[in-house]
Amino acid sequence: MLRDTIKAAQVAAMKAGDKPRLSAVRLILAKLKDKDIELRTAASVPDDDVLVVDVLQKMAKQRRESITLYEQGGRQELADTEKGELAVIEEFMPQQMGDAEVQAAIAAIIADTGAAGMKDMGKVIAELKARHGSQLDMGKASGLVKAALV
């Protein structure tokens, strides 16, 4: 379903003549095609929407890192291009949880699993990813889990 939405966005961008948006949507579709090819030999293939969200999260993370590096290097025009691509990528991602929601989810998981210290961090992260993986940035979440378990 999400893949169909992205394809429809490609058609709409072509009709509107929006070249930057069209370019970003084509990048997304190319990454999805690469992932499909990679999974041809896999033993089990995840649900299509889960696959698409995973690809989008990786692309968004790459864009954020690139923006930071370009801004540090004084290449604002490249950073602006990456920001445009990031905005298009984020349009297709599920609504992300806020910090308060993430902290509440972490507290609930810690209570459910009985995690007591840093030795249980892996268990908490795994459960958090299983329950809310598509709705949060795991990089930020791991810092919040670490803070909650100290």
Side-chain angles (χ1 to χ4, degrees):
M1 181 175 141
L2 193 52
R3 190 181 298 249
D4 296 333
T5 305
I6 296 169
K7 288 179 182 177
Q10 179 186 21
V11 171
M14 280 192 276
K15 287 181 179 178
D18 189 352
K19 290 185 182 192
R21 181 175 173 75
L22 178 61
S23 174
V25 172
R26 283 183 173 160
L27 280 172
I28 294 169
L29 290 171
K31 283 289 186 186
L32 289 173
K33 183 72 170 171
D34 289 345
K35 192 66 170 179
D36 289 342
I37 291 168
E38 178 184 323
L39 291 175
R40 283 183 186 167
T41 58
S44 65
V45 179
D47 180 46
D48 191 54
D49 279 352
V50 172
L51 176 87
V52 172
V53 168
D54 184 48
V55 169
L56 290 173
Q57 285 178 332
K58 287 178 183 173
M59 289 180 74
K61 181 180 178 188
Q62 290 170 341
R63 297 304 176 286
R64 286 187 197 102
E65 291 170 357
S66 295
I67 289 167
T68 303
L69 292 174
Y70 285 143
E71 287 176 344
Q72 289 173 353
R75 300 295 306 267
Q76 192 58 42
E77 68 282 357
L78 294 173
D80 291 341
T81 303
E82 294 287 321
K83 286 178 184 177
E85 290 177 3
L86 179 61
V88 173
I89 292 167
E90 287 178 339
E91 284 179 32
F92 300 109
M93 292 175 64
Q95 182 64 38
Q96 299 292 297
M97 295 171 69
D99 285 343
E101 294 172 298
V102 173
Q103 289 174 343
I106 291 170
I109 290 170
I110 288 173
D112 291 349
T113 61
M118 290 304 293
K119 64 181 175 23
D120 297 323
M121 184 171 172
K123 186 176 10 173
V124 173
I125 292 284
E127 186 64 27
L128 185 64
K129 188 170 185 175
R131 290 186 192 179
H132 307 287
S134 66
Q135 299 173 325
L136 53 94
D137 177 8
M138 291 307 294
K140 291 180 184 176
S142 66
L144 294 172
V145 170
K146 185 181 250 185
L149 289 175
V150 170

